[in-house]
Amino acid sequence: MAGGFVAFSGDSPAFQAKMTVYVFICVVIAAVGGLIFGYDIGISGGVTAMDDFLMKFFPAVYERKKQAHEDNYCKYDNQFLQLFTSSLYLAALVASFFASATCSKLGRKPTMQLASVFFLIGVGLASGAANMYMLIMGRILLGFGVGFGNQAVPLFLSEIAPARLRGGLNIVFQLMITIGILIASVVNYFTSSIHPYGWRLALGGAGIPALILLFGSLLICETPTSLIERNKTEEGKATLKKIRGVEDVDEEYQSLVQACEFARQVKDPYRRLMKPESRPPLVIGLLLQLFQQFTGINAIMFYAPVLFQTVGFGNNAALLSAVITGSVNVVSTLVGILLVDRTGRRFLLLQAAVQMLSCQLVIGIILAKDLGVKGTLGKTEAMIVVILVCVYVMGFAWSWGPLGWLIPSETFPLETRTEGYALAVSCNMFFTFVIAQAFLSMLCAMKSGIFFFFSAWIVVMGLFALFFVPETKGVSIDDIKDSVWKRHWYWKRFMLRGA
């Protein structure tokens, strides 16, 4: 699941800056891109549990679902049904590379506007779909919107944020993702009883935030970093004064000019990413994306209604349970915003790994012991599963969700930052696609064992965080190499003198 982000501008806490109303407005408008992403994550599982949707596009799944003695774990196993969800993330993977170039050549603001256009066209096709082709094409265009939005919005938020508020303002993006998931759960709950077009209303709902992003983006500025990067230096300085709320911005302005001039000297950033000194941020950046998805979180959030139906809840009760988990997700992300700069990154990663591992193991044991291929769980066991899912979501929402993005975005130097970030986004989308495409089939094949599968991954990622993820709390972005990599017991071997 796409998460929170940290600053890219490399500014110093010594720079003068105020938190202005204009910056707050810019943050809220831009972060709507995260809300759209979250809505798309949350709406998929609810729609794929709606009978009207299944009857129109997946009649074989519908017939299997309504059988009196259906298989609890296999009733939704259908590759085309999974493709409905996963096609969005495969498209986002491809789009992230185009979006990276667009961000560099045109700027962050136009890239966000392109994202909203893709969203609107995709919403129109998906919600108005008359056949499978229109449905999947709509999802693919929504995926392009996600790819462009997830590339531009975090960069934008990072580059306009005052240094002292960088972490909190960037995690607003993750917060909006969780709010989008929650809104989608509520929409699913109410539209599931509107026959026969409730699913159309649910899918069409994404058009509202897309319109907000499109027209709201007309009110926001381009970032100073992007303007200076594209040789619009005077406009960049004027914008810097506007967003900082002070006249004396010379020190920060010169810092940005120097950083951009150094970045221009790197003619092939992707080749530089392959050099040994780039290996620590690259390896951590890519592996954290894999680990973020293999916590099992998107499997839970994509298919929460389906999962709760599997353990014995009715359709509406399952959707209501998904609303509850969505609410927990939002509140716990707020906790993450409060804790990340106090406890540090590693503590949250390690604490949450223990919490999530415990929940996954107990859920797996309950399902293995009490839920057979047929039948349902008892009321007590089913409620325990819902509670454990909520506790699991808590742990993810204040750790591997936002920190899976925050940590790598702190560690790439400016000359490879956009390219390194594009690789991280595409890696995240690839593994999101893998999980979305495979989860229902894995659930059918592995049954309750799927929770032990994700538990094993949580053990691996916990050990990785313990031994290979350094603490970056309170370290200046431009000082990461000297203060972190050169002092780390393992990564220091990749640091070249004078590189």
Side-chain angles (χ1 to χ4, degrees):
M1 181 188 293
F5 302 83
V6 76
F8 286 79
S9 58
D11 47 358
S12 162
F15 298 148
Q16 295 185 42
K18 298 177 182 177
M19 179 58 195
T20 64
V21 173
Y22 181 68
V23 167
F24 177 77
I25 292 171
C26 288
V27 167
V28 173
I29 290 173
V32 171
L35 190 148
I36 302 171
F37 183 34
Y39 187 90
D40 284 327
I41 290 173
I43 211 70
S44 300
V47 167
T48 53
M50 293 182 188
D51 289 345
D52 293 320
F53 177 80
L54 293 175
M55 283 189 286
K56 184 168 183 63
F57 296 106
F58 306 98
V61 177
Y62 174 71
E63 289 299 323
R64 191 186 310 155
K65 176 186 173 183
K66 72 177 185 178
Q67 294 301 316
H69 301 290
E70 61 191 8
D71 187 319
N72 277 321
Y73 295 99
C74 297
K75 59 186 175 183
Y76 290 101
D77 179 24
N78 182 282
Q79 286 297 310
F80 286 107
L81 180 62
Q82 292 171 115
L83 184 62
F84 164 75
T85 297
S86 64
S87 57
L88 184 149
Y89 304 98
L90 188 60
L93 186 161
V94 175
S96 62
F97 291 101
F98 293 101
S100 175
T102 304
C103 268
S104 297
K105 301 292 184 184
L106 301 181
R108 288 40 163 162
K109 178 177 173 178
T111 306
M112 283 189 283
Q113 291 170 330
L114 279 172
S116 61
V117 171
F118 281 126
F119 279 130
L120 286 169
I121 298 173
V123 166
L125 282 173
S127 62
N131 51 54
M132 181 70 72
Y133 175 78
M134 284 182 65
L135 185 69
I136 299 300
M137 280 303 299
R139 294 290 290 177
I140 289 173
L141 286 171
L142 284 169
F144 269 78
V146 167
F148 274 70
N150 282 17
Q151 178 73 24
V153 173
L155 283 172
F156 178 87
L157 295 178
S158 300
E159 291 170 353
I160 68 166
R164 70 184 187 279
L165 301 173
R166 230 169 19 215
L169 290 181
N170 278 282
I171 294 180
V172 170
F173 185 74
Q174 170 73 8
L175 178 64
M176 293 295 269
I177 291 175
T178 63
I179 292 173
I181 293 171
L182 175 60
I183 291 173
S185 298
V186 174
V187 170
N188 281 333
Y189 179 73
F190 286 105
T191 57
S192 64
S193 58
I194 301 175
H195 304 287
Y197 54 84
W199 64 271
R200 294 189 187 276
L201 296 176
L203 293 177
I208 297 174
L211 285 170
I212 293 172
L213 180 61
L214 177 62
F215 291 106
S217 64
L218 300 176
L219 304 176
I220 64 179
C221 62
E222 183 56 87
T223 71
T225 303
S226 177
L227 291 168
I228 296 169
E229 206 174 23
R230 292 178 289 126
N231 294 313
K232 298 181 179 182
T233 53
E234 290 304 313
E235 188 179 349
K237 188 171 186 179
T239 302
L240 190 60
K241 290 181 180 180
K242 183 177 182 179
I243 65 174
R244 294 295 179 248
V246 296
E247 286 297 315
D248 184 10
V249 295
D250 289 344
E251 189 178 354
E252 182 174 2
Y253 172 72
Q254 289 301 323
S255 174
L256 290 174
V257 169
Q258 291 171 10
C260 290
E261 286 176 351
F262 181 75
R264 289 191 195 104
Q265 295 173 14
V266 178
K267 302 302 180 184
D268 191 346
Y270 285 106
R271 176 174 290 182
R272 189 175 182 87
L273 280 170
M274 298 300 109
K275 291 188 175 182
E277 64 266 27
S278 295
R279 201 161 298 163
L282 182 64
V283 170
I284 288 176
L286 297 184
L287 283 181
L288 284 179
Q289 307 315 308
L290 181 152
F291 292 150
Q292 189 189 70
Q293 298 311 309
F294 278 77
T295 58
I297 184 63
N298 276 348
I300 295 289
M301 301 311 292
F302 284 150
Y303 300 111
V306 173
L307 178 65
F308 289 135
Q309 279 190 345
T310 297
V311 299
F313 286 82
N315 189 45
N316 284 345
L319 290 172
L320 182 59
S321 300
V323 172
I324 294 170
T325 57
S327 302
V328 169
N329 199 12
V330 172
V331 173
S332 300
T333 302
L334 288 170
V335 173
I337 291 174
L338 295 174
L339 292 180
V340 66
D341 290 318
R342 299 182 183 183
T343 64
R345 285 71 161 142
R346 294 181 78 250
F347 173 81
L348 290 177
L349 290 175
L350 294 170
Q351 179 277 327
V354 174
Q355 183 171 324
M356 292 189 297
L357 175 64
S358 302
C359 292
Q360 291 271 28
L361 286 173
V362 176
I363 291 172
I365 291 169
I366 290 174
L367 297 188
K369 178 175 176 288
D370 297 323
L371 182 67
V373 172
K374 309 236 180 342
T376 61
L377 287 178
K379 183 177 291 186
T380 301
E381 290 86 353
M383 286 306 302
I384 291 173
V385 168
V386 171
I387 291 169
L388 288 171
V389 167
C390 289
V391 175
Y392 164 86
V393 170
M394 282 182 194
F396 177 87
W398 63 52
S399 63
W400 292 88
L403 298 184
W405 288 107
L406 189 151
I407 291 171
S409 64
E410 285 179 322
T411 53
F412 282 109
L414 180 61
E415 62 268 21
T416 57
R417 197 163 289 156
T418 302
E419 292 74 19
Y421 178 65
L423 286 175
V425 171
S426 62
C427 184
N428 184 279
M429 292 299 112
F430 173 75
F431 288 112
T432 305
F433 165 78
V434 169
I435 291 295
Q437 184 64 29
F439 175 70
L440 293 179
S441 296
M442 290 169 63
L443 182 64
C444 179
M446 301 172 70
K447 299 182 170 48
S448 59
I450 194 169
F451 292 95
F452 301 113
F453 170 81
F454 288 126
S455 295
W457 276 101
I458 292 173
V459 171
V460 172
M461 64 187 70
L463 291 173
F464 180 81
L466 180 63
F467 292 109
F468 296 105
V469 177
E471 181 56 68
T472 52
K473 181 188 76 168
V475 181
S476 169
I477 293 175
D478 293 328
D479 197 35
I480 292 287
K481 182 176 180 179
D482 292 328
S483 298
V484 176
W485 301 131
K486 287 185 176 181
R487 299 180 182 182
H488 190 270
W489 73 273
Y490 180 76
W491 299 121
K492 65 183 179 182
R493 71 189 67 186
F494 297 101
M495 294 294 106
L496 303 178
R497 293 185 181 274

